[in-house]
Amino acid sequence: MSKPSDLMQGTLDMLILKILALQPLNGWAISQRLKQISSDVLGVSDGSLYPALHKLEHRGWVRAEWKASENGRRAKLYTLTRLGRKQLEKETANWNRVSTAISGIVKLKEA
Amino acid sequence: MNIEQWFYSLPLRLRSLFHPSEVDREMKVELQEHIEQQIEENIASGMSPEEARYAALRTLGGITRIEQQCRDARGGNVLEDFVQDVRYGFRQLFRSPGFSALAILCLTLGIGANAAVFSWLEGILFRPYPAVLHQDRLFALAGTAQGETGATELSWQDFLDLRRSCTLCEDAFVSKITGSTLSIGDRAEKTTGSIVSANYFNAIGVRPALGRGFEPGEDAGNDAHPVVVISYQMWRDRFKSDPQIIGKMQRFNNVPHTIIGVAPQGFYGTFVGWAMQFWVPASMEETFESGGYKLEDRGARWIEAYVRLKPRVSRTQAQQEISAIAARLETNYPSTNRGRSVGLWPLWQTPFNNAGTLLPTLEVMVAVVAFVLLIACANVGNLLLVRSFARRHQMSVRLAIGASRGRLLKQLLTEGLILSALGTAGGLLAAYWCRHALVLLLPARSGVAMYLPGEIDARVIAWSAGICLIVTLIVGMIPALQTRDLDLAGSLKAESTGVVGARGRAWMRSSLVVLQVCLSFILLVGAALLLESLEKIRSTSPGFSTTSVATTGVSLVAAGYDVPRSKIFQDELIDRLSLLPGVQSAAFARVTPLGYGSYSSTPIVVDGYQAPLEEQPAIEYNQVGPNYFATLGIALLSGREFTRTDDENAPLVAIVNRTMVSRYWAGQDPVGLRLQVNGRWARVVGVAADSKYENMRETPRPFFYVPLRQDFVRGPALNIRTNQPLPSMLAALIREVHALDPNLALSEMITLQEQVNRSTSPQLVAVTLVSILGGLALLLASIGLYGVMAYAVAQRSRELGLRMALGAGAASLVRLIISRGLRLTAGGLILGTVTAFALTRLLGKLLYNVNPRDPWIFAAALAVMTMTALSACLLPAWRAARTNPARVLRD
């Protein structure tokens, strides 16, 4: 129910970290960015975004601050921490390893 | 998580713990922001405001669910859950108060017994002197002699040398128990005190509440410093808290002492067993000890001492150094120190006070209370099982609406924790009430009550908390195991009587009962063995008659009698007593056998006996008056009794015991031969039968007697053989004593049988404690068995009704239930017998002439256990027989 369909466990975390590595954003902006980047293919529901963000915050990978946004609203801005950057590197490397292996297998020609 | 993660995470966790509403509000604001922004976006892309709001809510999904998921993701709600569980647990407890009270009572008994025993261990063995500095580095110092087991006393000179040369010791001090009789009217009141080295109060870090402690040098010289520090209690009771007490005089053993200090409240000296009332410096030794001035005599061993090691020095290291020093002393002073060394003992093994006597009993008690605790846990576990069946439906509902099994487990453990925490609190309270209970089991000796306080300190509380956690795990896990096979669909069906589930539960309940029966059987066997052993000890002949001999003392020393006057008085009193009707004979003796006084000891030389090199035969002896053997009823195997003519002007004589004859004269009659005592030759005039000297469990050992007149002490014990009852004997004696001198006082008069009984009090303590706890265990086990059987009958009422309807008689139903109960009991008994067989020899030190596997005792315990089990099954069986088939089958 709550798990994003088609999305491997842990991949959402990596995507969020990657997006935040570019600039600090609030929750809504992250969800917009996710949709843009993945062209809606991954189908991350906004509902699963917030629990993930709160989990990342508690692991010390992102830091949240309340800031006044340009239109005067209070917004919770998420920033990547040093630990988060390290985690992202680790997960990216891991992802590359796995995806190289999988695409290698997928590209095998049938004899 | 690593440390850096905690750095981020901890503030968040604490915040959600202490400001949960604020955190929640922020989360709601955050989600609301998301929706607002989405609505704006939707409006911008052309939707109507209504449509935009609806679409925004839809993309986000159920807000409440997301909120809950966020809370879970924060993970900070472990404590929240806990608080919730505790609240819920308490509600459950109040819902079934009978169950809760019974469970808490069981745990209070189990944990209380443990806490009490550990408070005794702490207060008597491990931290016996609460006011004393750094007890953890304190060790008992005593002598050892080749060819002898156990400890001997030390000589003052050896002690001084040890203290001077020991580099690993921070300090060393003497604390030798002594007594003094202070007369109040015609009653003599005994007080206990310590002869100490001058550094005593400094070394233990105790500052007198008034006045001062001893000054360096006050422990030197012969009766040179008659000063005394009195206890707070003596100051309060005897001197009415006189603020001007310092400088006043008090006579001790007829020597006026200047009171220089009052010890602080709560300081009872350094002796396990008695509270000290006064402290005098070692220079006053001759006033308090018999046997003359001993400070300059290296061969006179009379002191007991302690050392405090420097920090981080182990006992082994210190022992090595001390042994080396002792070896040096042995080389330097061969005539006094040959075959002698010095040992260190941890406080809980202190050889010269009651720590050593109580140690075996307390060791056994630790095992016994562990058993009682297990039995109590099994009972509570059983109770919880019954309840978990009742709560089966509730649990299933919680599982069905999405509670995880882990969450339910947490709930059950929390409920267990509440029970065991309440039980622990009750147990500690019970232990606090019982902390002086040990003394109640020990008779006062010579009118001085023993002082054996339990100590409830941080360590005992920590220990009890540990027990509490273990109990929590046990009583929480038992019902938790049941939820494992909780069958959702099955138990959601109304009032299902799931047969399979019931069997699993019955199996567990039965094994708990088997465990209880097994453990209580072991305790029962232990109690019976100890009882039998006490019976054996008390019925063993000590080698002298016990029933018709009374013993007491006359306060000659306190009344200021010198040696010639004492001699005259003793003769006159014996003459007067022998004229009294009903008095067969009377005799003085320095020490009454099995009393608390210690015998003199001397190196001996025997013509024709070559002691093995390195060994210096030292034998204990007693100074006894004429007719001593007739009075005590000790048989003379050869030769004669001492008479009035064996006095200071006559040649020295001695009477030796049978064991001494076989050891030193190879069994030949030594009458007429020579024996060297204290460096002077005496002639053996008689051989006495062996008897018990210090305790009832000792094996025959060499011992001899010399005439009191030839080795005189002023305050010996008086023994009277009489057929008069004790009170009239005492009245007659007081009359005779006062006819001679109205200022004299008598100490407590008891029969030798009473003396024997008092000497076996450690065994009595063990028997009493194990019997109480064994009875408790039996009670708990029968409650457990009753519970299981009653429950089984209630569960199977349908089956029983059916059997009845099909023609089974009431008798056969009774048989059915009882045979089931007895099957469980038999299982427990078999297990118990096997375990007891392996365990009872651990009682070894406490048993006397009793086979730890005595078949009769096992049989008796089996019978008692079976009878108890039978009676526990009777009521349920009776209920089964009264099953009304019509009603049961209709329901």
Side-chain angles (χ1 to χ4, degrees), chain B residues 119-120 123-125 128 271-275 353-355 358 362 434-442 449-455 765:
Chain B
S119 83
W120 293 337
I124 295 166
L125 297 182
F271 189 91
V272 171
W274 276 276
N353 60 34
N354 287 281
L358 287 168
L362 288 174
C434 293
R435 68 197 191 284
H436 293 301
L438 216 47
V439 176
L440 302 179
L441 304 175
L442 291 160
M450 292 193 78
Y451 178 72
L452 289 167
E455 175 81 15
V765 173

Side-chain angles (χ1 to χ4, degrees), chain A residues 14-81:
Chain A
M14 188 182 72
L15 291 178
I16 296 173
L17 291 177
K18 183 68 196 173
I19 289 167
L20 289 178
L22 306 173
Q23 66 182 118
L25 292 171
N26 70 5
W28 185 75
I30 296 172
S31 80
Q32 296 305 306
R33 195 58 56 85
L34 268 172
K35 279 175 201 154
Q36 280 170 21
I37 297 173
S38 63
S39 336
D40 289 343
V41 172
L42 294 177
V44 179
S45 87
D46 293 348
S48 53
L49 174 65
Y50 284 94
L53 275 171
H54 284 228
K55 187 182 77 189
L56 294 180
E57 187 187 0
H58 263 264
R59 297 216 171 139
W61 292 336
V62 304
R63 210 175 54 232
E65 279 173 296
W66 286 92
K67 285 230 169 94
S69 64
E70 59 274 21
N71 48 12
R73 284 208 180 105
R74 263 158 56 80
K76 199 175 178 189
L77 269 189
Y78 292 90
T79 319
L80 202 64
T81 64

